Amino acid sequence: AHIGVAMGRCGTDVAREASDMVITDDNFASIFAAVEEGRVVYDNIIKVTLFLVSCGFGELVAISGTILLGMPVPYLPAQILWLNLVTNGLQDVALAFEPAERDVLNRPPRPPRERILSPLMLHQTLLMGMIMAAGTLYMFASSLKAGVPLDKARTIALTTMVFFQFYQAANCRSATQSIFRLNPLTNPLLFFSMIAAFFAQLAVIYVPAFQWIFRTVPISAGEWLKIGAITSTIVIAVELDKFLRSRKEKPRPEHG
């Protein structure tokens, strides 16, 4: 065995002290359950980390991009705080309670020295972050070019990033499975947190008291449609990335 295992009830004190694992109920099936639970916990740490890092990277690139282009910044400090509260503050907690994926026990053991920020996570972070930044920059720049007042352009940019992060939370539920194959109600905390965040964002845009605090203005139906179309691109890109990776990782049939 790779580690020493001792019984918690029948084992001697010496055996328990010397072992790496103690089975408190003397049932070897508990090891199986512990492995499954450990993999689920590790997976969820990866999902939360990917969500937070990719969203933060997207926000940073969007702000840096406007500075390099000589444009006003797309978010005010209060709006950045709201952005992190309405999305990161709710969805990251909900992702931590994501249930086990179907193949969690069919995977080979991960390398013991594997880091949280693996090459796959870095790839996904760059892909997702750049799409969120590019979409937000496009909405902000095109609004300013069309003569929209700065406060309204910032409201559009803020709402664009909020919806990007809604989609991103759904994308991060699995690194391999399509979000269209995942039942949203298997993680009710995430599902209802996204609904709550959506209505909170509506309040920031349309309730006068919140408009004064966050310097937002109402946006039109046409602008909502444009935001929906732009932000849905992250789902298309991530789904395509998952599909291509699954084709690449699929074992080839042997001949002869």
Side-chain angles (χ1 to χ4, degrees), residues 162-196:
V162 166
F163 273 76
F164 264 133
Q165 295 190 11
F166 284 168
Y167 287 127
Q168 179 65 347
N171 287 332
C172 290
R173 293 188 66 193
S174 175
T176 55
Q177 295 184 57
S178 167
I179 65 171
F180 301 108
R181 295 184 177 180
L182 298 172
N183 184 349
L185 294 180
T186 55
N187 188 343
L189 185 60
L190 178 62
F191 179 74
F192 290 111
S193 71
M194 292 177 70
I195 293 176

Side-chain angles (χ1 to χ4, degrees), residues 8 19 24 28 54 58 62 102 133 153 161 170 196 205 222 225 228 240-241 254:
S19 64
T24 56
F28 279 100
S54 61
R102 289 178 297 177
M161 184 59 78
I205 296 174
L225 290 174
L240 181 60
D241 179 63
E254 297 182 1

Side-chain angles (χ1 to χ4, degrees), residues 61-190:
V61 172
I63 295 171
S64 301
T66 55
I67 294 173
L68 292 174
L69 293 172
M71 300 166 57
V73 292
Y75 314 117
L76 296 173
Q79 293 172 344
I80 295 175
L81 290 174
W82 173 254
L83 182 62
N84 292 327
L85 175 65
V86 75
T87 54
N88 296 355
L90 297 174
Q91 278 74 52
D92 58 351
V93 175
L95 278 173
F97 293 92
E98 184 68 22
E101 296 185 36
R102 289 178 297 177
D103 65 339
V104 68
L105 289 174
N106 296 328
R107 306 173 195 164
R110 61 180 175 84
R113 296 182 181 273
E114 182 181 79
R115 298 179 179 180
I116 294 291
L117 291 175
S118 63
L120 174 59
M121 179 180 285
L122 292 175
H123 161 77
Q124 293 175 313
T125 297
L126 289 173
L127 172 67
M128 300 169 179
M130 291 304 295
I131 291 173
M132 288 189 281
T136 302
L137 278 173
Y138 170 76
M139 292 296 293
F140 184 62
S142 62
S143 298
L144 291 176
K145 188 176 180 179
V148 171
L150 180 57
D151 280 350
K152 188 169 187 178
R154 282 176 170 155
T155 304
I156 291 171
L158 175 67
T159 307
T160 300
M161 184 59 78
V162 166
F163 273 76
F164 264 133
Q165 295 190 11
F166 284 168
Y167 287 127
Q168 179 65 347
N171 287 332
C172 290
R173 293 188 66 193
S174 175
T176 55
Q177 295 184 57
S178 167
I179 65 171
F180 301 108
R181 295 184 177 180
L182 298 172
N183 184 349
L185 294 180
T186 55
N187 188 343
L189 185 60
L190 178 62

Side-chain angles (χ1 to χ4, degrees), residues 211-228:
Q211 289 176 346
W212 180 79
I213 295 172
F214 295 102
R215 299 280 298 276
T216 57
V217 295
I219 55 180
S220 66
E223 289 161 341
W224 274 110
L225 290 174
K226 194 173 181 181
I227 289 170

